């Protein structure tokens, strides 16, 4: 039973929660490099940024609607733990304004817009990195400690229903350019049929989009 519980927690957290964090960081680094080089208006850069926003929105929707309510029920009567979850929701809301400033700066084709884009991306990266570190240090370990194997399986099933249409982009996006060990760890957490579809269809299609290329 102990192995089963650990496996359910480990694979669900890795595939749905932890792995996207590194992908967010990677893409923000790519965006920062593009705007610093004056290429923030390149079509594939804008496509990469649009995908990053979509992935971030889906990730936070999964947490706010599916994960945190389960954790809240598990820690009812524990004010300190409930406060952590409230902080997560508040931090999610604070990411919106700096993201909007990036949009505005990228839409400004003047020289001032290019300068503003550098500052806007840096500000967004600071806000998001602070949130990710906080979540990794507090909220995700809390979720792992209070949800049992059945709850993790239920969460994964609901996430598939809610976000399944995005899987053909989500899976290759996570593994885009990551180290072989991290890639293997992430893909091993997924069901075999999903790994095969990613290998045969999803990754080839993703590569053709050339996100972030300048």
């Amino acid at each position: 039973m102990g192995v089963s519980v650990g496996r359910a927690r480990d694979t669900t957290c890795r595939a749905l929660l932890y792995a996207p964090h590194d992908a967010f960081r990677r893409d923000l680094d790519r965006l920062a490099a593009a705007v610093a080089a004056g290429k923030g208006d390149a079509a594939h850069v804008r496509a990469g940024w649009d995908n990053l926003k979509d992935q971030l929105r889906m990730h936070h929707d999964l947490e706010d609607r599916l994960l945190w309510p389960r954790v809240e029920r598990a820690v009812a009567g524990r004010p300190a733990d409930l406060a952590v979850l409230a902080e997560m929701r508040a931090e999610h809301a604070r990411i919106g304004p700096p993201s909007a400033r990036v949009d505005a700066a990228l839409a400004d084709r003047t020289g001032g817009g290019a300068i503003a884009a550098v500052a806007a991306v840096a500000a967004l990266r600071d806000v998001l990195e602070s949130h990710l570190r906080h979540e990794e240090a507090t909220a995700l370990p809390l979720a792992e400690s209070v949800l049992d194997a059945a709850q993790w399986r239920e969460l994964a099933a609901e996430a598939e229903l809610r976000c399944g249409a995005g899987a053909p982009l989500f899976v290759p996006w996570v593994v885009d350019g990551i180290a072989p060990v991290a890639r293997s760890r992430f893909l091993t957490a997924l069901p075999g049929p999903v790994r095969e579809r990613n290998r045969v269809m999803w990754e080839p299609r993703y590569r053709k989009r050339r996100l972030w290329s300048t």
Side-chain angles (χ1 to χ4, degrees):
M1 180 62 71
V3 174
S4 175
V5 171
R7 178 68 173 171
R9 291 173 177 170
D10 178 62
T11 57
T12 302
C13 277
R14 181 182 301 154
L16 296 180
L17 303 170
Y18 282 103
H21 285 195
D22 289 336
F24 296 143
R25 292 173 169 120
R26 177 204 65 212
D27 278 6
L28 279 174
D29 285 345
R30 290 171 170 174
L31 181 60
V35 297
K39 298 180 178 179
D41 60 347
H44 295 299
V45 172
R46 295 300 298 272
W49 166 235
D50 287 341
N51 177 64
L52 172 57
K53 289 186 293 182
D54 287 342
Q55 297 294 343
L56 189 60
R57 175 187 53 78
M58 288 190 294
H59 183 75
H60 287 168
D61 184 69
L62 183 153
E63 291 178 336
D64 290 340
R65 295 178 183 272
L66 301 183
L67 178 61
W68 303 147
R70 284 176 166 82
V71 180
E72 284 169 338
R73 290 192 291 271
V75 300
R78 293 159 54 174
D81 290 336
L82 291 171
V84 167
L85 302 176
E87 289 167 357
M88 292 301 105
R89 288 194 169 95
E91 288 173 11
H92 287 177
R94 286 199 288 271
I95 292 169
S99 178
R101 287 192 285 273
V102 172
D103 276 329
L106 292 178
D108 185 348
R109 300 303 180 89
T110 68
I115 295 171
V118 173
V121 172
L124 173 60
R125 186 159 53 175
D126 286 346
V127 171
L128 184 56
E129 179 62 28
S130 176
H131 165 64
L132 296 178
R133 288 181 179 273
H134 188 195
E135 186 171 281
E136 290 163 354
T138 59
L140 294 184
L142 174 63
E144 290 182 278
S145 72
V146 300
L147 300 184
D148 62 24
Q151 289 170 307
W152 283 110
R153 287 193 294 268
E154 181 185 64
L155 172 66
E158 287 194 32
E160 183 176 1
L161 287 174
R162 181 181 292 271
C163 308
L169 189 55
F170 171 75
V171 176
W173 167 73
V174 168
V175 299
D176 179 14
I178 66 175
V181 172
R183 173 188 173 89
S184 176
R185 185 182 301 122
F186 171 74
L187 292 175
T188 299
L190 304 177
V194 172
R195 292 197 300 272
E196 183 63 12
R197 285 195 291 273
N198 181 64
R199 184 185 69 83
V200 175
M201 294 185 296
W202 298 348
E203 277 203 74
R205 291 174 183 171
Y206 178 89
R207 286 194 293 269
K208 287 180 180 178
R209 296 185 64 181
R210 299 176 55 223
L211 299 182
W212 302 109
S213 64
T214 58

